[in-house]
Amino acid sequence: MNLYGLTDIGLVRKNNQDSYAIRVLDDTLSIAVVCDGMGGHVGGAEASKTAVSYIIKTLAEQQYDDIAVAIHNALITANRAVYEKGRMNPALSGMGTTACVLV
């Protein structure tokens, strides 16, 4: 199976705050995650990169019976990581991102 991703800066912003990852977990399950730093907010690119990393890592490492619960847990983990990174670095305070997860 071939999986690909592409992101585009668009026509409005000067920098791209999108991050994405695709991971094949096994013969029957693949994950695609797309996060977009919140429109021009400080640290948006860092927030999206952090969220993608934690979502993929959490879904790849945990055992689950219910994929919806697994995604929920991954989003909570990513949210905490983004929040803590912003809390620890005043230059990133208030950073945020959207998240879309496809399995």
Side-chain angles (χ1 to χ4, degrees):
M1 169 186 331
N2 295 319
L3 302 170
Y4 303 94
L6 178 68
T7 183
D8 182 77
I9 194 169
L11 301 174
V12 176
R13 306 241 183 254
K14 292 181 181 179
N15 62 346
N16 192 342
Q17 296 184 342
D18 299 347
S19 297
Y20 69 90
I22 301 169
R23 165 99 41 106
V24 177
L25 294 182
D26 60 38
D27 292 340
T28 63
L29 186 62
S30 298
I31 304 167
V33 178
V34 176
C35 293
D36 184 3
M38 293 190 322
H41 286 254
V42 172
E46 184 64 28
S48 68
K49 183 170 47 170
T50 300
V52 166
S53 173
Y54 275 84
I55 292 167
I56 290 289
K57 182 176 188 266
T58 302
L59 289 173
E61 290 178 351
Q62 70 177 289
Q63 299 294 318
Y64 49 84
D65 294 321
D66 183 337
I67 193 66
V69 170
I71 292 170
H72 178 81
N73 291 341
L75 290 169
I76 288 172
T77 300
N79 186 60
R80 285 186 186 133
V82 168
Y83 174 78
E84 282 301 314
K85 199 171 259 194
R87 192 175 71 76
M88 299 302 288
N89 183 346
L92 299 175
S93 180
M95 71 177 179
T97 185
T98 63
C100 182
V101 181
L102 176 71
V103 293

